Amino acid sequence: LIKKKKTRGNKLLDMDAHPHYTPKIQCFSNIAGYSGIFLCGDLPYWLFLTTHGALRTHPMYLDGKVTCFAPFHNVNCEHGFLYFSSTDELRVCTLPTTLSYDNHWPAKKVPLRSTPHFVAYHHDTKTYAVCTSTPSLNPMRPAMQNNMDKEEAPIEEDDNFPYPSLNWYSITYILGKAGR
């Protein structure tokens, strides 16, 4: 049925074409260890309260509009949540526990065993290129010759001598989901 209740001038307004929708606010606790508020609507948002008492907002644009949300916990979905997507499908989900939501962006620690300097992302292959450096001890020292040429000579000191440190640079590729 099409409800035509209101008129504006000589035009009848179709009330079902633009239904009145009020966004919902749902409090939650212990979804992947986090507590906060979920804002349902056309632009759904997570509001997390971090361990330091800061409020962090993270959008959830995966399925578009979220009409209903509820925390959910059982054997198959521990500390997860339920929601209805824009296509009226019920989704049973969990937040990835490998990510930390305590920052402005969700972050994941990746063990590099070196110091990162630059990161580049290739969208088509979902690959990260990371420029890293690793310090190493250099047992050689530069020595100047009579003809002003520079050569390296070994440092002959005792075991407690602090050798100079040099950084060895490398580029590491980290494959995303498409490369797995």
Side-chain angles (χ1 to χ4, degrees):
L1 294 173
I2 297 177
K3 299 177 187 174
K4 296 183 179 182
K5 290 185 178 180
K6 296 184 180 179
T7 60
R8 187 175 294 161
N10 292 333
K11 293 183 179 180
L12 293 175
L13 297 178
D14 185 1
M15 297 303 289
D16 287 336
H18 304 287
H20 182 66
Y21 175 72
T22 305
K24 296 177 182 77
I25 297 174
Q26 177 68 41
C27 295
F28 63 88
S29 62
N30 199 11
I31 292 181
Y34 288 95
S35 297
I37 297 172
F38 186 83
L39 301 175
C40 299
D42 292 334
L43 301 171
Y45 265 86
W46 293 91
L47 283 91
F48 292 113
L49 185 62
T50 66
T51 55
H52 301 293
L55 186 65
R56 299 286 187 228
T57 61
H58 298 290
M60 191 176 94
Y61 298 143
L62 184 64
D63 286 330
K65 181 172 80 169
V66 172
T67 58
C68 186
F69 174 90
F72 181 68
H73 175 70
N74 75 2
V75 176
N76 298 320
C77 181
E78 293 185 3
H79 306 292
F81 58 97
L82 305 169
Y83 71 94
F84 278 98
S85 66
S86 59
T87 58
D88 292 330
E89 295 177 350
L90 176 65
R91 303 284 176 121
V92 180
C93 305
T94 59
L95 288 175
T97 56
T98 57
L99 294 175
S100 170
Y101 299 94
D102 291 346
N103 303 311
H104 293 288
W105 290 94
K108 178 180 179 179
K109 287 188 177 184
V110 177
L112 296 175
R113 303 209 190 328
S114 55
T115 304
H117 295 282
F118 300 101
V119 177
Y121 180 69
H122 189 258
H123 183 71
D124 295 340
T125 60
K126 294 183 176 21
T127 304
Y128 292 92
V130 182
C131 177
T132 61
S133 68
T134 306
S136 65
L137 298 179
N138 184 16
M140 306 293 278
R141 68 173 164 202
M144 300 299 283
Q145 301 297 329
N146 291 337
N147 58 0
M148 301 305 273
D149 288 336
K150 185 168 87 170
E151 294 182 2
E152 290 187 352
I155 300 173
E156 298 174 8
E157 300 290 338
D158 61 353
D159 292 339
N160 294 330
F161 181 76
Y163 289 103
S165 176
L166 290 177
N167 286 331
W168 291 96
Y169 289 89
S170 64
I171 295 178
T172 306
Y173 295 103
I174 301 172
L175 298 176
K177 290 182 181 179
R180 290 184 188 171

